[in-house]
């Protein structure tokens, strides 16, 4: 019987028969990551709740630029993904890795460099994102100096991981280690490729890719950040902690092999399903759809392997809060990984994309799968590391039920809101006109759902606070075990082991295993990217499309800083309802000078791709100063600082130079004239504002933003 069937997840049958060697498991690094997990989890949830409240109470930003939804939303996503789930993942890895390899972690020094480096990255994100320092690329908003720091710290983690596996005393690699290895190599690849950019200053850069190509790279990264940061490492933790908590062997070794290799190979191809019906070439969209549907099989294989591990232990689920959290987590994983492929079908995506349906889907995975796995792990680890019993099983069960109800109160209203949005956007009257031509009608209709969502989020947060109290009391009643003694026989080198499953042979060669895992995840990206970059017909040029003027470029950067693309898309899909509402559908060639793309993924406000020339400059001025004055009932916050703050011309030459380097056809030497052109265009805008009774200086940020908004979608007017 293979070692995976052994309840204690250990295997010494193929080790040497020599003397036992003593060593210590380092619990201090695990403790540090656990504390960071809990602390940043609360912070991330508070940021998310604040952002959720702003969707029905815009004044909840306290009229500050740093707390608007556009700036708070990326802070929330980064805090939850990289600070809460990330620290939890590292805690689980540093606890399970040495126990699965029967060896101390490769380097304590690297462990602590990893810990403090990661916390400093999180701190940098917490400072820069509210200040508007962002690349605008979802889940990769951090600017280039922080990107470099992430890459370096990730290398430290990977060295520690692979180094520990290489010096192991356990010949085979347990399944959890496979997922840790795939996570390490894939996240490095995703992060580096997606973060390639040209710096303008320490706080500003432009993506190396433009338009459709940038969108493809971004969603290859974005989808697989979910796959390889929020899924594969958590699956590794599931394969370790669920059998431990249930004291049962993993259900099927063969199923775990199929689950692992098919998951990491297929997942990497699925990113284009975030861009269905956009300007992305049809072949790439179809490829993403096909592989997304295929994902159901390996994903559900993992879910079933987890749930069937509990065979014979279901009676304990009623009593054990750890198992309760794990069971609901694995169930939420199964629900999300069924719904995801369904949302990648074009006929379903036509309804769901840009609506709150996607928000509900993401949070079933985030709150259910990631959150509950992390909570279960915390309840499992802390009593053991402090050599005591959980302070209160009753409080843990209370946390479970409040959080479970919180997920339902969050997700169900968002599903309802998503269906409502899509139906209202697409409804026509009998005479052929849109039933709801004013986009705001679809927003005001779902405000009660936004209130319910905030209630659900509050319940989830309350549950987490109950957990914090319970864990503090648990730790206070025990004594922390900083180092845990263990012993195992040394692993003999150059010993040939015959027989066994073919995969067990591969498990004895961690370096080869790592290389094969990298090859499996690299293939899909290469096949999708290369044709999009080298075959011109994928991105046909449009002669009428010209580079942005210096003032428009500055205005675009302000638009990005304020996070406007968190609520507005710039991608009109070829549906009758959208062309009737917004105008001509978007073409790939219109975005060739957009570094980065701003297609967006959610419409809390209307699409803006054909906004240029639709309203006078004075409308935009008043709309940014007081949105409700132009759109009664609007939930958009006001931006008075745009009227007060000034843009400068100091960086415009560097920006023009960078754009030219990226292939934007600015004439040589134009950077010397750019500042003068900026002021000339600004003067024209302020002149029109003055005619409307609005006096504003030419160097105010609102003027640059108006220039950009009035440019949107105007290049091809009259060309089709």
């Amino acid at each position: 019987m293979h070692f995976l069937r052994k309840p204690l997840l250990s295997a010494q049958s193929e080790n040497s028969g020599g003397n036992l060697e003593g060593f210590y498991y380092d619990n201090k690094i695990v403790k540090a990551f656990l504390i960071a997990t809990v602390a940043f989890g609360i912070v991330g949830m508070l940021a998310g709740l604040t952002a959720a409240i702003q969707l029905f109470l815009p004044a909840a930003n306290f009229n500050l630029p740093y707390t608007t939804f556009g700036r708070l939303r990326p802070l929330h996503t980064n805090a939850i993904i990289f600070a809460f789930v990330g620290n939890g993942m590292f805690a689980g890895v540093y606890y399970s890795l040495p126990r699965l390899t029967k060896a101390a972690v490769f380097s304590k020094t690297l462990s602590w460099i990893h810990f403090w480096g990661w916390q400093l990255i999180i701190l940098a994100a917490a400072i820069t994102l509210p200040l508007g320092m962002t690349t605008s690329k979802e889940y990769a908003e951090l600017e280039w100096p922080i990107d470099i720091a992430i890459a370096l710290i990730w290398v430290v983690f990977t060295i520690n991981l692979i180094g520990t596996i290489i010096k192991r005393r356990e010949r085979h690699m347990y399944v959890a280690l496979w997922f840790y290895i795939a996570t390490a190599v894939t996240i490095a690849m995703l992060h580096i490729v997606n973060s390639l950019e040209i710096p303008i200053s320490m706080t500003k850069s432009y993506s190396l890719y433009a338009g459709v190509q940038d969108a493809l790279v971004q969603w290859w990264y974005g989808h697989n950040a979910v796959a390889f940061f929020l899924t594969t490492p958590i699956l590794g933790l599931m394969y370790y902690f669920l059998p431990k908590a249930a004291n049962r062997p993993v259900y099927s070794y063969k199923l775990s092999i199929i689950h692992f290799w098919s998951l990491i190979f297929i997942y990497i191809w699925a990113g284009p399903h975030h861009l269905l019906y956009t300007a992305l070439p049809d072949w790439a969209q179809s490829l993403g759809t096909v592989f997304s549907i295929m994902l159901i099989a390996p994903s559900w294989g993992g879910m079933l392997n987890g749930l069937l591990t509990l065979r014979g232990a279901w009676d304990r689920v009623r009593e054990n809060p750890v198992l309760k959290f794990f069971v609901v987590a694995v169930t939420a994983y199964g629900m999300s990984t069924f719904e995801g492929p369904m949302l990648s079908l074009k006929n379903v995506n036509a309804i769901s994309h840009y609506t709150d349906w996607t928000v509900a889907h993401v949070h079933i995975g985030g709150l259910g799968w990631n959150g509950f796995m992390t909570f279960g792990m915390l309840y499992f680890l802390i009593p053991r590391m402090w050599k005591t019993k959980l302070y209160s099983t009753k409080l843990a069960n209370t946390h479970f039920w409040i959080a479970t109800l919180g997920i339902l109160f969050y997700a169900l209203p968002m599903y309802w809101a998503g269906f409502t949005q899509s139906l209202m956007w697409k409804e026509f009257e009998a005479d052929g006109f849109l039933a709801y031509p004013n986009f705001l009608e679809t927003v005001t209709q779902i405000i009660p759902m936004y209130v319910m969502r905030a209630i659900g989020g509050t319940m989830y947060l309350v549950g987490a606070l109950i957990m914090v109290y319970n864990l503090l009391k648990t730790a206070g009643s025990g004594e922390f075990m900083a180092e845990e003694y263990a012993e195992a026989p040394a692993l003999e080198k150059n010993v040939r082991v015959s027989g066994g499953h073919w995969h067990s042979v591969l498990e004895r060669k961690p370096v080869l295993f790592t290389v094969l895992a990298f090859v499996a995840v690299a293939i899909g990206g290469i096949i999708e990217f290369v044709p999009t970059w080298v075959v011109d017909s994928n991105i046909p040029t449009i002669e009428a499309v010209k580079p942005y003027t210096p003032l428009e470029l500055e205005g675009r950067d302000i638009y990005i800083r304020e996070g406007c693309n968190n609520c507005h898309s710039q991608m009109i899909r070829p549906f009758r309802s959208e062309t009737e509402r917004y105008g001509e559908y978007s073409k790939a060639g219109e975005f060739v000078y957009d570094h980065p793309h701003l297609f967006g993924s959610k419409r809390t406000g209307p699409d803006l791709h054909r906004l240029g020339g639709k309203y006078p400059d004075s409308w935009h001025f008043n709309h940014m100063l007081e949105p409700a004055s132009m759109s009664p009932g609007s939930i958009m916050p006001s931006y008075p600082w745009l009227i007060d703050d000034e843009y400068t011309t100091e960086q415009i030459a560097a920006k023009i130079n960078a754009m030219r380097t990226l292939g934007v056809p600015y004439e040589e030497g134009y950077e010397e004239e750019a500042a003068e052109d900026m002021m000339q265009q600004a003067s024209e805008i302020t002149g029109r504002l003055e005619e409307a009774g609005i006096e504003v200086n030419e160097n105010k940020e609102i003027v640059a933003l108006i220039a950009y908004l009035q440019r949107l979608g105007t290049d091809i007017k009259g060309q089709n």
Side-chain angles (χ1 to χ4, degrees), residues 26-254:
D26 179 16
N27 287 336
K28 286 185 286 188
I29 190 66
V30 180
K31 174 185 175 182
F33 274 113
L34 288 177
I35 292 171
T37 300
V38 174
F40 286 123
I42 299 300
V43 171
M45 292 174 206
L46 281 170
L49 180 59
T50 305
I53 291 172
Q54 289 183 27
L55 290 178
F56 60 87
L57 186 64
N61 71 351
F62 305 107
N63 214 29
L64 296 172
Y66 317 110
T67 53
T68 57
F69 182 89
R71 299 196 193 186
L72 207 55
R73 192 258 182 182
L75 178 66
H76 162 62
T77 56
N78 278 267
I80 291 299
I81 295 172
F82 301 111
F84 173 54
V85 179
N87 276 310
M89 177 257 287
F90 293 134
V93 169
Y94 277 111
Y95 183 87
S96 60
L97 173 64
R99 287 162 176 81
L100 291 172
T101 56
K102 297 293 185 290
V105 171
F106 177 68
S107 169
K108 283 187 177 182
T109 301
L110 290 181
S111 298
W112 287 104
I113 291 173
H114 175 199
F115 173 78
W116 288 112
W118 197 254
Q119 309 319 311
L120 288 173
I121 287 167
I122 293 167
L123 179 62
I127 294 171
T128 58
L129 290 174
L131 290 174
M133 300 172 190
T134 174
T135 66
S136 87
K137 302 176 78 167
E138 286 196 54
Y139 317 134
E141 291 93 348
L142 302 179
E143 272 294 356
W144 68 271
I146 308 176
D147 283 339
I148 293 174
I150 292 171
L152 293 174
I153 294 300
W154 197 261
V155 168
V156 168
F157 164 62
T158 303
I159 292 172
N160 228 7
L161 172 69
I162 303 300
T164 305
I165 294 172
I166 288 174
K167 73 168 195 174
R168 69 199 185 285
R169 293 181 177 85
E170 187 66 73
R171 191 174 302 281
H172 286 290
M173 289 193 299
Y174 177 66
V175 59
L177 300 179
W178 313 347
F179 285 95
Y180 299 163
I181 289 170
T183 298
V185 297
T186 310
I187 289 297
M189 175 184 71
L190 293 169
H191 174 71
I192 291 170
V193 173
N194 188 52
S195 299
L196 294 176
E197 50 215 358
I198 291 187
I200 305 300
S201 68
M202 289 295 292
T203 60
K204 180 64 183 174
S205 63
Y206 289 131
S207 172
L208 195 65
Y209 320 103
V212 169
Q213 294 165 336
D214 186 59
L216 177 61
V217 174
Q218 156 59 26
W219 282 113
W220 170 79
Y221 164 88
H223 181 78
N224 290 300
V226 173
F228 289 91
F229 201 94
L230 299 179
T231 303
T232 55
I234 313 304
L235 285 168
L237 300 182
M238 179 199 79
Y239 273 114
Y240 180 82
F241 287 104
L242 181 59
K244 277 285 192 182
N247 197 30
R248 301 287 300 168
V250 170
Y251 172 69
S252 171
Y253 170 60
K254 290 183 179 179

Side-chain angles (χ1 to χ4, degrees), residues 551-552 554-555 558 617 621 624 642-643 645 647 678-689 695-710:
L551 189 64
E552 292 162 357
E554 187 69 26
I558 293 170
D617 295 343
F621 182 95
M624 299 306 296
L642 296 179
I643 286 86
D645 295 345
Y647 66 86
M678 286 181 77
M679 300 315 297
Q680 182 177 342
Q681 186 176 7
S683 179
E684 294 170 1
I685 293 172
T686 54
R688 291 193 293 269
L689 290 173
E695 292 189 11
V696 61
N697 291 336
E698 298 171 356
N699 60 349
K700 296 299 184 181
E701 289 185 339
I702 186 67
V703 176
L705 181 60
I706 289 172
Y708 172 65
L709 295 175
Q710 293 290 34

Side-chain angles (χ1 to χ4, degrees), residues 411-474:
L412 293 179
M414 287 296 93
Y415 281 121
W416 193 286
F419 304 150
T420 302
Q421 286 169 309
S422 187
L423 291 172
M424 292 182 73
W425 293 349
K426 293 177 178 293
E427 185 173 349
F428 283 85
E429 295 177 339
D431 56 7
F433 293 102
L434 285 168
Y436 303 98
N438 184 354
F439 186 92
L440 190 55
E441 294 178 273
T442 70
V443 177
T444 55
Q445 188 69 30
I446 61 176
I447 286 177
M449 286 76 142
Y450 286 157
V451 175
M452 290 297 293
R453 185 255 292 270
I455 292 172
T458 301
M459 294 173 67
Y460 196 87
L461 175 60
V462 168
L465 292 172
I466 291 173
M467 177 195 70
V468 171
Y469 173 77
N470 203 0
L471 295 181
L472 286 173
K473 296 292 286 185
T474 300

Side-chain angles (χ1 to χ4, degrees), residues 193 209 213-214 216-217 528-536 538:
V193 173
Y209 320 103
Q213 294 165 336
D214 186 59
L216 177 61
V217 174
E528 287 176 347
F529 293 166
V530 172
T532 312
W533 288 336
V534 303
V535 180
D536 291 341
N538 280 308

